[in-house]
Amino acid sequence: MTGNKTDRRVRRTKSLLMQGLIQLMETKDVKDISVKELADLADINRGTFYLHYSDVYDMLSQIEDELFTEFNEIIDRTLTPDSVLSSPRATLFEVFTFLERHRDITQAMAGPHGDLAFVNRMKDLVKEHLDSIWAAGQASGNNRYAEAFVVSGCVGVFETWLRDPMPPSPETMAEICGRLLEKGILPP
């Protein structure tokens, strides 16, 4: 029973800190956010912050690592040779659902005061999976251009969707992106 209370308190504290970080990242770069400011906003004392993180960068890194554990699992499970060749909609739906579930933090990280390393890490993970899929299929050397187009285009759509105050559903976005990837943007 005591373990559950402690776990719940830790989760609550980390949630308050993350909400505070998100709020501060709306107007400030991470480098300009102090532990004192974050702790005050979350209404906890700095000592409590230091029980969980060494500094704001450590907090951001731990949050990113948790997000990427989940994101990597989605990509591993859904981005397969069959999905790339037939229809990427299942992968896109899972990614948009993931982004929706973590909208506040992914929006902050991909925003103007966010962490460019987060966006680049997302791109690199998808590129890595596409490379291995295309290498296994003995595809031609021009795939690096297709890969750059697909990855940058999809990440651009993700960022635009995260900024949209009235975003379409993950299902709708998967359909739109899937259609763009399969048929391009020009009419047939």
Side-chain angles (χ1 to χ4, degrees):
M1 188 76 112
T2 304
N4 286 340
K5 284 185 181 181
T6 302
D7 290 346
R8 188 173 42 220
R9 285 189 302 242
V10 168
R11 284 193 309 270
R12 184 176 182 281
T13 298
K14 286 185 172 188
S15 176
L16 289 170
L17 286 167
M18 186 164 68
Q19 289 168 12
L21 182 64
I22 290 166
Q23 186 176 339
L24 290 169
M25 285 175 69
E26 289 175 4
T27 58
K28 296 176 127 184
D29 291 342
V30 174
K31 67 179 177 50
D32 298 325
I33 298 172
S34 70
V35 170
K36 180 181 178 351
E37 178 180 34
L38 180 55
D40 287 348
L41 185 61
D43 197 25
I44 63 165
N45 83 36
R46 286 186 351 196
T48 302
F49 175 91
Y50 288 117
L51 286 174
H52 305 289
Y53 310 107
S54 60
D55 57 24
V56 175
Y57 291 107
D58 179 45
M59 179 183 171
L60 190 62
S61 176
Q62 286 187 39
I63 291 169
E64 285 182 9
D65 287 346
E66 288 175 23
L67 288 171
F68 273 97
T69 296
E70 184 178 345
F71 185 71
N72 193 38
E73 190 277 326
I74 289 167
I75 297 301
D76 279 346
R77 182 172 35 84
T78 63
L79 192 60
T80 63
D82 291 338
S83 72
V84 170
L85 296 174
S86 62
S87 175
R89 284 179 177 83
T91 300
L92 290 165
F93 172 72
E94 292 281 342
V95 170
F96 278 107
T97 301
F98 163 80
L99 293 171
E100 180 70 21
R101 187 170 42 255
H102 302 290
R103 178 173 281 280
D104 291 342
I105 190 64
T106 55
Q107 191 173 40
M109 294 226 202
H113 300 286
D115 184 10
L116 185 58
F118 173 76
V119 174
N120 288 334
R121 190 172 171 188
M122 187 181 285
K123 285 180 178 180
D124 290 344
L125 181 66
V126 174
K127 282 181 188 176
E128 194 177 289
H129 277 74
L130 287 175
D131 282 347
S132 65
I133 288 169
W134 285 335
Q138 307 292 317
S140 72
N142 290 333
N143 281 338
R144 69 175 185 231
Y145 299 112
E147 173 188 280
F149 182 80
V150 167
V151 172
S152 294
C154 285
V155 170
V157 170
F158 299 154
E159 290 173 320
T160 301
W161 182 73
L162 285 168
R163 286 190 302 268
D164 191 339
M166 298 287 287
S169 70
E171 296 89 354
T172 300
M173 291 308 300
E175 184 65 32
I176 290 168
C177 282
R179 197 173 333 111
L180 288 170
L181 289 173
E182 291 167 3
K183 297 183 181 179
I185 60 171
L186 301 175

